[in-house]
Amino acid sequence: MKESKTTIHDIARALQIDSSTVSRALNNSPRVTQKTKDKILAKAEELGYQRNVLASNLRKNVTYTIGVVVPRISRHFFSSAIQGIEETAYQAGYNVIICQSLEQLEREKKIVETLLANRVDGVLMSISMETLDYDHLQTLKGSNIPLVFFDRHCDLPGNSNVLIDDFKGGFDATQHLIDKGCKNIVHFSGPQVLEIYRKRFEGYKAALEKNGIVFRNDLVFTSRLMEQEGSECAKKIISENMDVDGIFSANDVAAIGAMKYLKQHGVNIPDDIAIVGFSNEPVSRVIEPSLTTIDQPGFEIGKAAVNLLLEQINDKSLITKGKSVVLESNLIPRSSSNKS
């Protein structure tokens, strides 16, 4: 037989006092003397009593829980952001539920339903590549649940976001290649429905324009930016004998896929084709040659996102007002762009 948990009624019977007195003592009520509190706490410990924190919090209409939705936990940026989120949330007395959409809209919708059912106090989200329908996000807002986007966000009125300057990152990456002598620069872009990839693409075009280089649409390859897709883009460059001397990839993963393929087919990196990625994945430091990239400070983004969310949890009137926090992006030059 499974042992039943000790209740306040068990403590009350053992001490021959009212259960209401036990409840007040366990909640540190000033209506109970310290002597009685000490006696009740000692008996509670002796009997192995554990408070039902969830039930207590629900009575107060709070759960001290934050839901976090990311596309993939395996990506270094998101794992770093989660570290910042968990550390900051823990210091504020909150637990974190971490979910991943795996870039699937339907999965993301079900996650939101689950978080609502679990009565989280707020949600931090980086949307999937498939998220074009925002009804599930409107449901969160309609339930008066604070929602803060980080990294990937969507165009909803009154949104709150924590981002890096993706336009500047795209501009700096392309300008760096131009400074190294590149004139025919391919851009590996992500889905343009996501603003982060639109901004990086706009930064790429702005750098070309500033330097008098004509933008060519045939040099823009759009994909989901997986490693295999980076490899396929590199295959196209070689098979079509394209005149390319630089690649700016909107993430490191596709850049690394391209780099591996190009090396296997005798292309010298960076002398033949210089490459710059985006996100500063750990592997970018150790791959040969090491990958020049734009750093995304995931830990700091996670911390800032929690702080913004807590502002809204503590003052629900801020939910509809919207606020954006933009962090700097920084170029990290490495061997993949260091033309001799």
Side-chain angles (χ1 to χ4, degrees), residues 271-316:
D271 289 342
D272 295 333
I273 298 179
I275 301 178
V276 177
F278 203 117
S279 67
N280 195 24
E281 296 281 333
V283 68
S284 67
R285 292 193 297 270
V286 297
I287 194 171
E288 181 56 39
S290 56
L291 178 64
T292 297
T293 187
I294 301 293
D295 186 36
Q296 279 184 285
F299 187 84
E300 288 75 16
I301 287 174
K303 288 177 64 176
V306 172
N307 287 329
L308 185 52
L309 188 69
L310 290 175
E311 286 180 18
Q312 296 186 6
I313 289 173
N314 294 326
D315 183 356
K316 294 292 184 72

Side-chain angles (χ1 to χ4, degrees), residues 62-96:
V62 294
T63 60
Y64 294 103
T65 305
I66 292 170
V68 180
V69 188
V70 297
R72 292 184 186 276
I73 295 171
S74 59
R75 290 284 173 87
H76 172 67
F77 167 75
F78 291 117
S79 63
S80 297
I82 287 168
Q83 286 180 338
I85 288 167
E86 285 200 305
E87 181 175 303
T88 310
Y90 177 79
Q91 290 171 353
Y94 283 79
N95 295 308
V96 175

